């Protein structure tokens, strides 16, 4: 059991690293955020559908659960639209730094979803993370609009993570993700139909964008998202959200070396980022010793 948990935790770190690189891919793909998410969810849904057929898994889900998956799919679509919008109007570093608030929001919302009491140290570490974030925003106020989109994105991210934490107990991760992505494509398609966006220009992209979208939809979405749902069979949503706080670190470092100039931030920004990372580590150590005392 302990080895399974360790394997899940290490797998989670790989997933978070992939998510960090996802932000860089999003910055490199030169299409609108809504279009990007539509293609991402459509292609990833196709990959997952093929995987489910190959594994001979059942697509059946109870009607009540189906509608829950549809709602979660809407949350995921909005989460990604806001995420890529934030990257395009600010940059990767700012957008990912806001994602450090995920653990704080999870510490407040998880007790509501799972009926447990609020743990003081989760809130305490969440407040320290906010302090690190405040230091970042104090010197990077010019990116405020991007901050708003990123903040909306992470709140939605926490909500669908918590909901998936309950759905995973009854269904295969690949099946859950397949229906959620399908729902996301449906809702965005309805929006595009009203806006008249489905035209020749919509389906005309550079070869570079097609290649990046294919990589984003397969490895960085179909695999990573399904795997992230699967690890929640072993790990709590709070642990998932807390580890996700390392996504800004991976993403900011990768963006600095890959994207260059636009991602070079002030000294205060990196001090705030270091505060966030140290807090994540301390929380993990504290939680480890708390669990040992209970054994």
């Amino acid at each position: 059991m302990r080895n399974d948990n360790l394997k899940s935790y290490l797998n989670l770190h790989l997933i978070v690293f992939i998510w960090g690189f996802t932000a860089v891919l999003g910055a490199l793909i030169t299409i609108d955020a809504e279009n990007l998410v539509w293609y991402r969810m459509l292609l990833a849904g196709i990959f997952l559908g093929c995987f489910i057929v190959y594994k001979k898994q059942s697509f059946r889900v109870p009607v009540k659960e189906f509608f829950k998956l549809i709602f979660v799919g809407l949350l995921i679509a909005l989460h990604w639209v806001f995420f890529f919008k934030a990257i395009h109007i600010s940059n990767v570093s700012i957008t990912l730094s806001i994602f450090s608030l995920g653990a704080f929001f999870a510490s407040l919302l998880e007790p509501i979803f799972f009926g447990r009491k609020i743990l003081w140290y989760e809130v305490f570490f969440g407040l320290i993370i906010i302090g690190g974030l405040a230091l970042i925003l104090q010197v990077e106020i010019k990116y405020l609009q991007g901050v708003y989109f990123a903040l909306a994105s992470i709140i939605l991210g926490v909500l669908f993570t918590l909901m998936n934490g309950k759905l995973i107990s009854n269904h295969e991760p690949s099946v859950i993700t397949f229906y959620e992505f399908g729902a996301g494509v449906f809702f965005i398609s309805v929006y595009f139909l009203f806006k008249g966006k489905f035209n020749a220009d919509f389906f005309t992209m550079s070869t570079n964008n097609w290649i990046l979208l294919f990589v984003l939809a397969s490895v960085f979405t179909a695999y990573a998202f399904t795997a992230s749902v699967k690890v929640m069979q072993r790990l709590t949503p709070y642990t998932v959200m807390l580890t996700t706080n390392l996504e800004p670190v991976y993403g900011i470092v990768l963006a600095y070396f890959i994207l260059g100039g636009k991602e070079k931030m002030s000294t205060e920004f990196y001090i705030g980022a270091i505060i966030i990372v140290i807090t994540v580590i301390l929380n993990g150590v504290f939680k480890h010793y708390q669990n040992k005392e209970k054994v």
Side-chain angles (χ1 to χ4, degrees):
M1 180 68 72
R2 183 168 296 179
N3 287 336
D4 289 339
N5 288 341
L6 177 61
K7 183 178 178 181
S8 295
Y9 193 67
L10 292 175
N11 194 29
L12 177 59
H13 273 280
L14 173 62
I15 296 164
V16 172
F17 178 82
I18 290 174
W19 284 341
F21 202 91
T22 298
V24 177
L25 278 182
L28 292 172
I29 297 173
T30 57
I31 60 176
D32 291 341
E34 298 92 341
N35 299 22
L36 195 163
V37 175
W38 187 86
Y39 277 111
R40 181 186 190 182
M41 299 188 88
L42 175 65
L43 293 173
I46 293 172
F47 292 138
L48 283 169
C50 293
F51 175 79
I52 293 168
V53 172
Y54 173 74
K55 287 290 188 178
K56 297 181 180 179
Q57 297 174 351
S58 174
F59 284 91
R60 289 186 178 181
V61 294
V63 175
K64 185 178 180 181
E65 299 291 283
F66 175 76
F67 284 107
K68 289 180 182 178
L69 294 173
I70 296 298
F71 178 69
V72 174
L74 173 61
L75 296 182
I76 294 170
L78 291 173
H79 162 74
W80 279 340
V81 168
F82 291 148
F83 174 69
F84 289 116
K85 189 78 172 176
I87 290 173
H88 289 167
I89 64 178
S90 57
N91 62 23
V92 172
S93 298
I94 287 295
T95 302
L96 291 182
S97 67
I98 301 301
F99 272 49
S100 61
L101 286 171
F104 176 66
F105 289 130
S107 70
L108 298 178
L109 294 175
E110 186 179 329
I112 298 174
F113 276 74
F114 291 90
R116 67 164 176 81
K117 66 179 182 179
I118 294 177
L119 302 177
W120 67 268
Y121 62 86
E122 291 183 354
V123 178
F124 174 72
F125 286 123
L127 291 173
I128 294 178
I129 288 172
I130 289 179
L133 183 62
L135 181 61
I136 290 172
L137 296 182
Q138 186 178 355
V139 293
E140 305 297 345
I141 195 67
K142 62 183 177 180
Y143 295 117
L144 190 59
Q145 188 178 6
V147 169
Y148 291 147
F149 279 104
L151 188 60
S153 178
I154 191 56
I155 291 173
L156 291 169
V158 171
L159 288 174
F160 79 68
T161 299
L162 291 171
M163 293 186 73
N164 274 340
K166 302 190 87 170
L167 291 168
I168 189 60
S169 60
N170 301 318
H171 307 288
E172 286 291 331
S174 53
V175 175
I176 287 178
T177 310
F178 172 79
Y179 281 114
E180 290 173 349
F181 285 0
V185 172
F186 171 78
F187 286 117
I188 298 176
S189 296
V190 171
Y191 170 73
F192 282 171
L193 286 171
F194 278 105
K195 297 286 287 188
K197 291 195 69 172
F198 284 128
N199 50 42
D201 291 337
F202 181 86
F203 297 100
T204 303
M205 288 189 293
S206 67
T207 302
N208 186 61
N209 276 339
W210 277 114
I211 293 173
L212 292 176
L213 275 171
F214 183 84
V215 174
L216 177 65
S218 56
V219 178
F220 290 74
T221 305
Y223 163 72
F225 200 89
T226 302
S228 72
V229 176
K230 186 175 179 62
V231 297
M232 284 194 289
Q233 291 175 325
R234 298 286 181 185
L235 306 175
T236 67
Y238 178 77
T239 299
V240 173
M241 288 306 306
L242 185 70
T243 308
T244 303
N245 278 329
L246 292 175
E247 179 182 344
V249 180
Y250 298 143
I252 289 168
V253 171
L254 289 168
Y256 184 87
F257 287 104
I258 296 174
L259 302 177
K262 187 182 179 183
E263 297 298 329
K264 293 180 180 178
M265 311 297 286
S266 63
T267 302
E268 289 85 353
F269 174 89
Y270 294 109
I271 293 173
I274 290 171
I275 290 173
I276 291 169
V277 176
I278 291 175
T279 304
V280 171
I281 295 172
L282 287 176
N283 182 83
V285 172
F286 191 89
K287 185 178 288 289
H288 172 72
Y289 282 105
Q290 287 284 101
N291 291 336
K292 283 186 69 175
E293 290 178 2
K294 292 178 182 179
V295 177

